[in-house]
Amino acid sequence: MDWGSDLWDQHDVIERHTQSGLELLERYVKFVRERAEIEQSYAKQLRTLSKKYSRRGVKEDQDTKPSNQQSFQDVLNQLNDYAAQREQLSENMTLNICVELSRNLQEMRQERKNHLCEVKKAQQNLESSFKLLETSKKRFEKEWREAEKAIQQTERVQQEVSATKADVEKAKQNTHLRVHLADECKNEYASQLQRYNQEQSSFFHSEIPSAYKKLQEMEERQIRLLADGYVQFSETEKNLLPDINKCLDAIISTGRSINEKQETLALIEQYRSGAAPPADVEFEDYSQGVKAAASDNTTTHLPKVRIKQLFHKKNKVLTHTHTQPSAADLSRLPPDQRRRRLQEKIDDIQKELQRETEQSEALMKMKGVYEQNSQLGDPSSLQPQITQTAHDIARLRGELNKYQVQLAEAGGGTLQHYPASSEYITVLSDPSVSPSENIYEYEFDEDFDIDVPIGQCTALYDFDGGSEGAVSMQVGEQLSLMQEDQGDGWVRVQRASGHVGYVPASYIQII
């Protein structure tokens, strides 16, 4: 069963059905395209959402956040990856379904048009042949009637008594001519009828079945394309599900890895100062004069820590500088935090020192190989690298000793002195290295001073510095600011002569 043999007389039905099938395919292409646009918009909104709630700020500030807040950032990062998968889904749907089906749809529209044009052309040819047949038939009918009239006229002339032999002969000739014309029209009609029947047979048994069969095959291809489109619509998303599930599983793992107990303990580890709570305030009985002398000298002692200092904000930054806290600023941290920060710096320096040491050993070995076999390379070409590496090692060891001194003073470890390596001694003693290049040569002793100025200030008034721990200054004198006002009205400064002490905060101006 096929359209050509069973639907040969249902041209309008076939035409409407094939048009409906192509319209359905076009609707599906539009549907997939809109679905892809929705996915694209969804991915864009997810990225906007992730960016909106992502942490901002420098990396150092982010690293100090609790890990549960970092976990939320990990969730946002995974959401961003999830959005990327939705974008990939939109792109795959557009390329693999919409573009391919649109191309096939255009081809099938043209194919349908060609087949329908073939049917229409064959039908027009058959109609033209039928008109010729009708014309020949009418002509044969007319000529045959004229021939019959001529025969009847001849018979009447022959029966008339008054008719001459010439009249009879003329009538016979006319009859013969009419009969001859009628026979020619008859033959033409018969020939045209035979031709029409052949064309009609070819039209209904060959041309129509062939065209309708091609339309049937086209319709089957269209249905198969649509069915494959349904499958591909699902498989396109299904193929991305493993990557999508990875993002979702990562979010699940992030949530399950959070330990609320460790989070609260981490806050203790990060901000524990190690200081003991203040002792009870002693009763001072001025009526007995027991502490009168001490009372008289209270103004000469350094200011005591006030209660409000326990709650003032830490890490205040001077308005005249935007640099990050230096190593000297660690001295202002509480003991436990200071020890932890110092230990972190020591660990980082030790790792860098290990890398530089390995690089130095490799360079020395390479230099020895070049000295044994000059064809492999020039030993002197490695000297700049060896010198720089030795200087870097000396600098790192100097920094390491410095931080270990600070850590030992903070009660967090013992001092370990790192002597210069033989390679470094060799480099420094090498005559090819100028003394000016030994810029990283450090010497440390047990009295290493780690106090570093944090700014500069100018004295606004004279101050005699008569109190214990205070230092004198003259108006207009330039001083180094060693410690800011901690809320008690005093700052620690250093004079150009090297004397260090406290002065009133209102007596100076920070520059």
Side-chain angles (χ1 to χ4, degrees), residues 405-424:
V405 167
Q406 297 182 34
L407 183 60
E409 292 178 352
T414 58
L415 178 62
Q416 295 181 3
H417 180 67
Y418 288 85
S421 64
S422 59
E423 293 85 353
Y424 177 60

Side-chain angles (χ1 to χ4, degrees), residues 110-127:
Q110 187 62 38
E111 182 180 355
R112 173 180 176 275
K113 182 179 179 181
N114 294 337
H115 294 328
L116 292 178
C117 286
E118 290 177 3
V119 174
K120 186 176 182 180
K121 184 177 180 180
Q123 186 175 4
Q124 290 175 349
N125 293 335
L126 185 62
E127 289 176 355

Side-chain angles (χ1 to χ4, degrees), residues 143-144 147 151 174-184:
E143 292 297 332
W144 181 250
I151 292 173
N174 185 44
T175 300
H176 183 268
L177 178 62
R178 287 296 178 182
V179 171
H180 180 70
L181 289 176
D183 289 339
E184 287 183 353

Side-chain angles (χ1 to χ4, degrees), residues 76-218:
L76 295 177
N77 293 338
Q78 292 300 327
L79 183 64
N80 202 49
D81 295 341
Y82 178 84
Q85 299 302 323
R86 307 313 301 191
E87 288 178 343
Q88 185 65 38
L89 175 61
S90 173
E91 182 179 354
N92 291 347
M93 284 185 174
T94 301
L95 296 178
N96 299 337
I97 301 179
C98 295
V99 175
E100 189 67 20
L101 289 185
S102 296
R103 181 180 61 82
N104 287 305
L105 177 62
Q106 188 68 22
E107 293 177 354
M108 285 189 290
R109 277 179 173 168
Q110 187 62 38
E111 182 180 355
R112 173 180 176 275
K113 182 179 179 181
N114 294 337
H115 294 328
L116 292 178
C117 286
E118 290 177 3
V119 174
K120 186 176 182 180
K121 184 177 180 180
Q123 186 175 4
Q124 290 175 349
N125 293 335
L126 185 62
E127 289 176 355
S128 299
S129 180
F130 181 74
K131 289 179 181 179
L132 294 176
L133 175 62
E134 288 293 321
T135 301
S136 63
K137 179 181 178 181
K138 289 179 180 180
R139 185 180 177 187
F140 168 62
E141 181 181 5
K142 178 181 177 181
E143 292 297 332
W144 181 250
R145 287 177 181 176
E146 292 294 333
E148 287 182 340
K149 289 180 180 180
I151 292 173
Q152 292 176 0
Q153 183 66 25
T154 301
E155 290 177 354
R156 282 196 304 270
V157 170
Q158 288 178 350
Q159 292 176 1
E160 289 181 358
V161 178
S162 59
T164 62
K165 184 177 180 180
D167 293 336
V168 173
E169 189 65 28
K170 183 179 178 180
K172 287 182 178 180
Q173 289 179 357
N174 185 44
T175 300
H176 183 268
L177 178 62
R178 287 296 178 182
V179 171
H180 180 70
L181 289 176
D183 289 339
E184 287 183 353
C185 290
K186 179 181 179 180
N187 293 334
E188 183 181 354
Y189 169 63
S191 175
Q192 188 62 37
L193 178 63
Q194 183 179 5
R195 186 181 305 111
Y196 174 77
N197 287 335
Q198 290 177 353
E199 291 180 359
Q200 180 177 252
S201 177
S202 175
F203 178 78
F204 288 108
H205 295 88
S206 178
E207 294 178 353
I208 285 291
S210 176
Y212 286 177
K213 186 176 181 181
K214 292 178 181 178
L215 287 173
Q216 181 181 3
E217 293 174 352
M218 185 204 73

Side-chain angles (χ1 to χ4, degrees), residues 39 43 70 73 95 105 111 162 189 215 278 296 305 307 324 338 384 402 409 430 479 496 506:
E39 291 291 344
Q70 181 60 39
Q73 182 63 35
L95 296 178
L105 177 62
E111 182 180 355
S162 59
Y189 169 63
L215 287 173
D296 294 338
V305 177
I307 295 177
Q324 296 182 357
R338 183 186 179 194
K402 178 182 68 174
E409 292 178 352
D430 194 327
L479 306 170
S506 60

